[in-house]
Amino acid sequence: MSDGRVDRTIETDVLVIGGGGGGLRAAVAAHDAGARVLVLSKGIVGKSGLTQTAVTGFQVAFGYADPRDNPEVHYGDTIRGGYGLADPELARIFCDEAIAAVEDIESFGARFDREEDGKLIQRKLDSSQTYPRSIKKGDSLGTPIMQALRREMNKREVPRMHEMLVTKLLKDGDRVCGAIALDFQKGEIVEIHAGAIIMATGGAGELFPVHSNTPDSTGDGYALALNAGADLVDIEFLLMLGHAVLHPATVRGVLFTFQYLLTKGAKPLFNSEGESFLSNYDPEGNDNPARHIYARAVYGEVREGRGSPHGGAFFDPGSVSHETLMDSLPSQTKYLEKFGVDMTQPIEVGAAAHYVCGGIKINTQSQSTVPGLFAVGECSGGPHGAGRIGGNSLTEILVFGKRAGAEAAAFANAGNTGSPSSDEVASEASRVTSYLSRERTGPRPNVIKTRLQKLMNDYVGVVRNDEGLRETITEFERIEREDLPTMSMAEDNRIGNYDWIEALEVTAMIRFARAMAGAALLRTESRGAHYREDYPELDDKNWLQNIVIHHSANQDALAFETRECTPGPEYTASLAEAG
C-alpha cells in the first residue's frame, strides 16, 4: 500500500492552510492582490477553526467608552501584557491598524453593537485593559466575522477544499514550494504546488484533556513549519483560562466569561469555603486580574483542598438577575441552560487550555524564517510575547491576515516558484500510506493521545517544575522512539478512516508537545502564562529573552536558543518587580 504515488496534483499561487478567520482574511487579501488562491482546511472552510468560538472581546482603541483611550494606550497594554517579550514592531502594527481592520470587516457586512448615537459599544474584560476597549456583537463575536468573510470568499469565488490534512511542506532549496495533503473524503494523496504558503492552522488545545478549542486544534501548523526549517518562538507561554465550565460533562470546557458580570454586581469567584481568593494571587490585589492569573489561582485553591468537587472553583450566576445574564451573555447563558445547567445556582469553573501565545516566528510582513512561508493567528509567534491580553486575538488575525495575504501574493507574483524533489514527494506519500499496512498489534492512536494529554495536563499545564518536565520529555522521546513506529490502525481502508487521520495528528502533536515542554524546562523563572513553582519569581536580569526553537542538524533533535529582546518602553520596572 505504501507505493509512494500521489493521486492528484494541483497548482496555485498562494496556498492557505486553515479555514478560520485568519486564513479567510488572508485568502481575500491575496485574491485582491491578483494571486490565484486555494484554501485547505481539516474541517469545512469558513465553518471550522477557532474564530467562530471567540466570545471574550475584540480590542480596538476607538476611545468611545473613554476618550483617553487610543492606539498608543492599547500598545502599552499589549507590551505590558506580554511581560516584555512581545515584539514591539508587531504589537505596534496590530494596535495601530486595528481601527482600519474593523472598517474593513464592517465593509464586508459584519455588524457590531452600537449605542443610540451610533458609536460602537466598548466594554472592559479585566485589569489588562486600561480602558474599556472591546467591541461586541452580543457575546458571540466570531460569528459575524466569519459570516462576513465567507460572503467575501463566495463573492470572489475563491477555491477551497474541505477535510484536507496537510502532512508536509515541500521545499526547493531554502524556500517552500508546495505541500502534500491527505484528502480524507476520498482517501487520496494530493500534491499541491504553490508560490507561497500561508499557515493559519490555529492552536493546539487538543494536547490537553480540557480545552476551549475545537477538536481539530492539534498543533499541525507548528509541526509542519518546524519540520520545514522554520523557527518557533515563545511556545512555552500557554494561556490557561480559569473560566471554563467543569460540570456537567456535557459542557466541560465551555467558556463562560463571567468577568463581564462583575461590573454588574456579580459575586467574584469563590472557593469551597465561600471565600473570594483571586486578590491573594494577583500581584496588584485585583478581584478581576488578567486571565492567566485566574487559572493559577484556581489551581492553588484546589491544591490547598479548597477546590470544587470537579477540580475548580465556584461562580454564582444567580448573584445577578436572569435579565442581566441575558443582556450581558445571552448565547452563553442559553447554551448552558440548554444542557441543563441551573443558572440560579453556583457553577463549577476551572482551568482549560486556551491559547499558545507564541508560534511560528514572523516578521512585519508575516513571513516566517523560511522564504515563502507566512503565518497568521495563533500559529504565529511574536505579537504577544509571554501573554496575550483578552480580545487581542481577533484584532491580530484581521490585521495580520490582510498583511499576510498581500505579502504572500507579492512573493508568489514575483516569480518565486520552485519545484519539489520527486524523491521528497514519493517519500512523504509512502510515509503517509505506510500506516495502513502496519501490523494490528501496536498501540492505537487514541491510546497514545490520551497518554499525551495526561502528561501535558499534569506537568506542562498551569503549574510546572523541573522534575515533572524532565520526566515528561523523557516519556515523549520514548513515545517517538517506541510507540509511534508501531502505532496501528483498526482498519486499512482509505476513505473516512479517522484512525488514519488521528495517527498523523498525534505524530505532530508529540513533536510539538516535546518542543513546548523543552522550552518550559529551559525557562527557569515565572513570567506571564508560564509558571514554574520551583522558580516562582519573574527574573528580568536573566530571562528578558525569547526562546527560539528549530531543528538541529539531526532532524529528529530540537535545538533551543535564547535571544535577547528589547522590550517596549511601556514594560516598566514596577511591573517587572511586581511579577
Side-chain angles (χ1 to χ4, degrees):
M1 272 190 177
S2 55
D3 52 20
R5 290 183 294 112
V6 297
D7 299 290
R8 278 183 290 159
T9 301
I10 299 172
E11 293 192 1
T12 190
D13 296 325
V14 175
L15 172 64
V16 179
I17 304 173
L24 267 57
R25 186 65 189 90
V28 168
H31 177 275
D32 289 353
R36 294 176 302 162
V37 183
L38 173 64
V39 182
L40 304 185
S41 176
K42 283 202 295 185
I44 304 301
V45 174
K47 294 188 176 181
S48 57
L50 302 180
T51 305
Q52 63 177 348
T53 69
V55 296
T56 55
F58 181 177
Q59 284 215 44
V60 193
F62 285 104
Y64 294 142
D66 193 311
R68 292 172 294 178
D69 197 25
N70 55 55
E72 188 67 28
V73 179
H74 184 191
Y75 171 74
D77 286 347
T78 299
I79 292 295
R80 285 188 292 272
Y83 287 78
L85 298 191
D87 183 313
E89 286 189 290
L90 299 179
R92 176 71 71 185
I93 286 169
F94 78 77
C95 292
D96 285 353
E97 297 181 11
I99 292 174
V102 173
E103 293 171 348
D104 280 348
I105 200 69
E106 287 207 311
S107 75
F108 293 165
R111 293 293 179 264
F112 302 102
D113 294 342
R114 296 178 182 270
E115 304 283 4
E116 290 184 3
D117 62 5
K119 293 179 180 178
L120 289 162
I121 294 173
Q122 296 193 273
R123 57 183 182 168
K124 186 174 181 177
L125 174 67
D126 56 35
S127 62
S128 67
Q129 297 179 27
T130 298
Y131 304 114
R133 187 180 299 129
S134 293
I135 64 175
K136 62 189 282 287
K137 176 64 177 177
D139 60 345
S140 183
L141 275 162
T143 299
I145 290 172
M146 291 304 295
Q147 287 174 337
L149 290 172
R150 285 198 300 270
R151 282 194 294 269
E152 294 304 304
M153 289 277 290
N154 293 338
K155 186 186 301 183
R156 291 162 174 76
E157 299 182 342
V158 176
R160 66 211 75 173
M161 297 177 72
H162 314 293
E163 296 189 305
M164 299 282 291
L165 174 63
V166 176
T167 65
K168 184 180 178 64
L169 302 184
L170 300 172
K171 296 178 72 177
D172 184 353
D174 65 346
R175 67 174 183 263
V176 292
C177 63
I180 297 294
L182 172 60
D183 181 339
F184 46 96
Q185 292 182 83
K186 299 179 179 178
E188 295 180 344
I189 306 297
V190 182
E191 179 181 353
I192 303 151
H193 297 168
I197 296 174
I198 301 173
M199 199 70 73
T201 48
E206 191 69 4
L207 269 65
F208 293 83
V210 180
H211 61 81
S212 63
N213 297 180
T214 51
D216 56 357
S217 300
T218 53
D220 306 334
Y222 306 108
L224 286 168
L226 190 62
N227 292 338
D231 288 349
L232 303 184
V233 66
D234 296 334
I235 63 168
E236 68 271 30
F237 299 108
L238 172 75
L239 181 59
M240 303 285 288
L241 297 186
H243 56 269
V245 180
L246 298 182
H247 185 73
T250 50
V251 292
R252 186 172 176 85
V254 172
L255 296 184
F256 182 62
T257 52
F258 58 78
Q259 295 95 322
Y260 286 127
L261 299 171
L262 299 179
T263 59
K264 310 288 186 181
K267 181 180 178 180
L269 213 60
F270 58 94
N271 60 25
S272 61
E273 297 177 4
E275 300 171 337
S276 299
F277 58 87
L278 286 166
S279 60
N280 299 331
Y281 293 85
D282 181 57
E284 298 179 2
N286 281 311
D287 275 329
N288 185 23
R291 298 181 303 165
H292 63 276
I293 301 293
Y294 270 88
R296 194 179 307 161
V298 171
Y299 181 92
E301 293 300 293
V302 171
R303 189 161 63 173
E304 293 300 318
R306 299 187 292 267
S308 67
H310 295 87
F314 295 98
F315 175 75
D316 185 8
S319 61
V320 296
S321 68
H322 193 267
E323 182 182 7
T324 299
L325 285 174
M326 292 303 295
D327 179 61
S328 300
L329 303 173
S331 65
Q332 295 175 46
T333 299
K334 290 177 183 177
Y335 186 85
L336 292 174
E337 288 179 334
K338 178 181 178 182
F339 284 92
V341 177
D342 185 351
M343 299 299 281
T344 68
Q345 298 296 318
I347 59 177
E348 293 185 57
V349 296
H354 181 61
Y355 192 93
V356 182
C357 297
I360 303 165
K361 182 175 173 56
I362 60 170
N363 62 17
T364 56
Q365 285 75 46
S366 291
Q367 183 165 277
S368 74
T369 52
V370 172
L373 177 61
F374 299 78
V376 60
E378 187 174 352
C379 70
S380 68
H384 304 297
R388 177 181 64 74
I389 61 177
N392 264 356
S393 61
L394 291 178
T395 315
E396 181 205 350
I397 64 168
L398 294 179
V399 169
F400 282 104
K402 181 178 182 179
R403 187 170 286 241
E407 296 289 346
F411 186 93
N413 291 339
N416 290 295
T417 57
S419 299
S421 158
S422 58
D423 290 342
E424 182 184 20
V425 171
S427 175
E428 178 61 10
S430 179
R431 183 188 75 86
V432 172
T433 56
S434 69
Y435 289 91
L436 300 174
S437 57
R438 291 181 179 180
E439 297 290 333
R440 302 285 184 259
T441 55
R444 294 277 299 281
N446 66 306
V447 173
I448 297 175
K449 183 175 177 179
T450 299
R451 173 65 174 154
L452 162 67
Q453 290 175 328
K454 178 169 175 47
L455 288 166
M456 293 296 287
N457 185 70
D458 292 349
Y459 302 113
V460 200
V462 178
V463 175
R464 301 156 172 182
N465 60 53
D466 184 275
E467 181 182 3
L469 289 167
R470 289 186 186 278
E471 289 181 1
T472 297
I473 292 167
T474 298
E475 177 61 7
F476 287 158
E477 290 172 344
R478 187 204 64 77
I479 290 172
E480 283 194 307
R481 185 176 61 252
E482 299 177 12
D483 292 350
L484 294 184
T486 60
M487 181 169 51
S488 63
M489 314 295 101
E491 301 175 337
D492 62 2
N493 59 295
R494 283 176 170 255
I495 298 175
N497 187 342
Y498 288 91
D499 239 14
W500 191 13
I501 303 303
E502 194 167 32
L504 292 162
E505 287 178 334
V506 80
T507 300
M509 290 168 72
I510 289 288
R511 176 56 56 93
F512 182 60
R514 181 154 68 89
M516 180 181 285
L521 176 65
L522 180 60
R523 184 172 290 279
T524 51
E525 65 155 355
S526 292
R527 181 183 298 267
H530 164 74
Y531 183 73
R532 286 281 298 263
E533 61 181 348
D534 45 351
Y535 295 95
E537 302 300 324
L538 182 145
D539 181 5
D540 273 343
K541 180 179 179 181
N542 296 301
W543 278 109
L544 203 53
Q545 305 182 69
N546 300 109
I547 295 176
V548 175
I549 306 170
H550 52 84
H551 272 306
S552 67
N554 173 5
Q555 281 292 295
D556 288 331
L558 298 173
F560 297 82
E561 177 185 345
T562 58
R563 295 181 187 172
E564 297 288 336
C565 64
T566 303
E570 292 73 13
Y571 180 68
T572 63
S574 61
L575 177 66
E577 290 169 4

